[in-house]
Amino acid sequence: MIHKIYAVFDSKGEAYTPPFFDHAEGRALRTFADCCNDQTHQFGKHPEDYTLFHLGQYDDNTATITQDKITSVANGLTLLEAK
């Protein structure tokens, strides 16, 4: 199965989080959105500082990692739910 590789960039820290894997972008986006909407989570405290990026793919049948063009998926501020 192909797993997409994601990481979150911290604009204030000027670094990416360790990467994580998911097979669907929608699931990765939901996880990131949940974190950005949780005021007790680091991302939720400053959602404007965090952006989710797609980095590449991992094939678990061949153990092959392919780096794609790094693309922005969403900034945390755009995912905040109206309260």
Side-chain angles (χ1 to χ4, degrees), residues 31-73:
T31 299
F32 180 58
D34 287 347
C35 294
C36 290
N37 281 285
D38 179 351
Q39 299 262 329
T40 65
H41 191 280
Q42 176 179 336
F43 298 169
K45 292 177 182 177
H46 304 282
E48 68 280 2
D49 293 343
Y50 298 98
T51 303
L52 179 66
F53 281 87
H54 174 253
L55 307 180
Q57 299 183 74
Y58 169 67
D59 185 335
D60 65 6
N61 290 319
T62 62
T64 303
I65 295 175
T66 306
Q67 184 171 0
D68 298 334
K69 179 181 177 194
I70 297 173
T71 56
S72 172
V73 177

